[in-house]
Every structure is written in structure tokens, then in C-alpha cells.
Amino acid sequence: AQSVAQPEDQVNVAEGNPLTVKCTYSVSGNPYLFWYVQYPNRGLQFLLKYITGDNLVKGSYGFEAEFNKSQTSFHLKKPSALVSDSALYFCAVRDGNTGKLIFGQGTTLQVKP
Amino acid sequence: SAVISQKPSRDICQRGTSLTIQCQVDSQVTMMFWYRQQPGQSLTLIATANQGSEATYESGFVIDKFPISRPNLTFSTLTVSNMSPEDSSIYLCSVETGREQFFGPGTRLTVL
């Protein structure tokens, strides 16, 4: 069965510092991996995806993610955090047969000025 | 990409009543999904709704409780039937285009 794990409920970072939000996955076959962000009282916004190609994927709002097959990880990163990045972040894997997304538990990112 | 709208954006309902949530997409899509996000929780897939076939429900969700319609390639409805406070959640529809899923803004449901 496909699964995604986000080991941290919350990540706290000072503004201007680099941030990392962790995600590990378990899939059969090639992984299709996604990151979404959810701001308070808003829907999910797509950040980036990995399907194939370069292991470093660049996405919206300056975010990027590194696909690591040997460690089965897809950590979300940003070189310099902004207070406005504070939100709930979800990692997800797509089931190749059904197309449905399986979400991690979510990680709350808190960026303090 | 796809632009998705949902109605209503939020509602407060009484126990035992039903609410129908509408999802409208600005383009024709084959695959639509309905998710539930309970307070403080992640997203859980309720069902997959493909036009021209009956919805496929995930374990723990049944058609009598969450009937779904998919009359065409741009529209779907999810009904939450005989509601209880445990149904208080955000309900989101999503569509897939090019192996990428886009989400609507969600419907925030509170059941008293």
C-alpha cells in the first residue's frame, strides 16, 4: 500500500533562515509526489510535484523539494523563510492505478519575525 | 490548470438534516475527487467520481451517507446525509489534469 509520512507536526523557523519540511514515502512502482500548502480558511494550493527527471524540483513561492530515491524522501525546502510562509503543508503521493492522492498528516510551519 | 468553485463556502446545519455541496470546474475533466478534512486532521478521500459511471467509495464511506452525482464533465455534487456533529469538516472537491490535482476552496460544514 502507498503511504506518506510527515514526521514533524510543527516546524519553527526564524524569518530569513532556511527551512525544511520532511516527507518520506512508501510506494510500489515509480512515485508521483506532491507538496500542497493550506493557509488558514483557504483551500489547498499546489506547490510542486515530482514525476520524473531532475531530483531537485522547483515550485511556487520560492519553494523546492529534493527527491531522494535511496532514502525514499521528498523534503520541502526554502533558502530563506518568510513570515507569510506560515501555513499547513501537506506531502502527498499519487496512486498510479486510481489517480487518488494519499496525504501525509500535515506539518504546521511557523515562521517568526 | 483548473479553476474550481464550490458552493456553499460554509454552512451550519442541524443534526439529522442533509446538505448538498456543489463543485464546478472551468474545464472538462474526467476524474473528480471528494475529500474530507476533519478539524486538525489531514485529507481523507471519500470517493472518486468519474462521469458516466457510479462513484467509487473508499473504505469507511458509503453511498447512502455520501451520495454523489456527476452529470457532466464540469460538475459534481456531494450530499452529506442525516448529518451528525461528527460530520463537521471541510469538504473539498478536486480534479485531475495531467496527473496533477487541483483543489476547490472547500466547504466548511458545522453540524450542531
Side-chain angles (χ1 to χ4, degrees):
Chain A
Q2 323 235 38
S3 65
V4 173
Q6 294 178 243
E8 303 155 316
D9 289 336
Q10 181 156 330
V11 170
N12 297 310
V13 177
E15 187 174 32
N17 283 0
L19 70 88
T20 299
V21 183
K22 296 180 180 178
C23 172
T24 59
Y25 65 89
S26 175
V27 302
S28 54
N30 294 322
Y32 295 164
L33 297 161
F34 302 83
W35 276 101
Y36 289 87
V37 59
Q38 186 176 38
Y39 296 100
N41 300 313
R42 303 266 295 273
L44 258 65
Q45 296 181 30
F46 169 81
L47 276 180
L48 51 79
K49 67 180 177 184
Y50 173 85
I51 295 179
T52 187
D54 291 340
N55 290 342
L56 185 63
V57 179
K58 295 188 182 297
S60 306
Y61 312 121
F63 284 93
E64 58 189 29
E66 186 170 9
F67 171 68
N68 188 317
K69 187 173 183 178
S70 62
Q71 297 185 6
T72 61
S73 67
F74 189 56
H75 300 331
L76 181 70
K77 300 181 179 183
K78 187 173 182 179
S80 178
L82 300 172
V83 173
S84 57
D85 292 329
S86 299
L88 182 57
Y89 290 81
F90 289 100
C91 182
V93 63
R94 180 184 182 273
D95 184 305
N97 293 323
T98 64
K100 66 181 183 182
L101 287 179
I102 298 146
F103 285 86
Q105 308 92 300
T107 299
T108 299
L109 174 65
Q110 188 76 30
V111 182
K112 298 185 177 179
Chain B
S1 66
V3 178
I4 305 168
S5 60
Q6 286 185 233
K7 290 182 181 179
S9 58
R10 58 178 62 228
D11 207 342
I12 301 173
C13 300
Q14 295 297 319
R15 182 195 298 261
T17 62
S18 298
L19 176 72
T20 295
I21 302 167
Q22 299 179 6
C23 177
Q24 181 75 51
V25 189
D26 69 339
S27 58
Q28 293 185 337
V29 293
T30 301
M31 300 183 77
M32 293 184 75
F33 305 87
W34 285 98
Y35 289 84
R36 180 176 74 181
Q37 186 179 21
Q38 294 178 300
Q41 302 292 317
S42 185
L43 283 80
T44 301
L45 181 65
I46 298 172
T48 302
N50 292 335
Q51 199 270 336
S53 62
E54 291 199 5
T56 302
Y57 289 82
E58 296 297 305
S59 175
F61 298 96
V62 295
I63 187 172
D64 290 346
K65 176 68 176 177
F66 297 101
I68 288 171
S69 77
R70 183 78 202 276
N72 56 53
L73 291 174
T74 63
F75 187 79
S76 177
T77 67
L78 169 76
T79 299
V80 187
S81 303
N82 188 25
M83 289 183 285
S84 67
E86 292 70 36
D87 294 319
S88 297
S89 297
I90 300 173
Y91 292 85
L92 301 103
C93 71
S94 75
V95 302
E96 181 174 86
T97 61
R99 290 180 294 187
E100 193 171 307
Q101 277 195 27
F102 299 91
F103 285 80
T107 296
R108 184 178 294 271
L109 171 63
T110 301
V111 184
L112 303 177

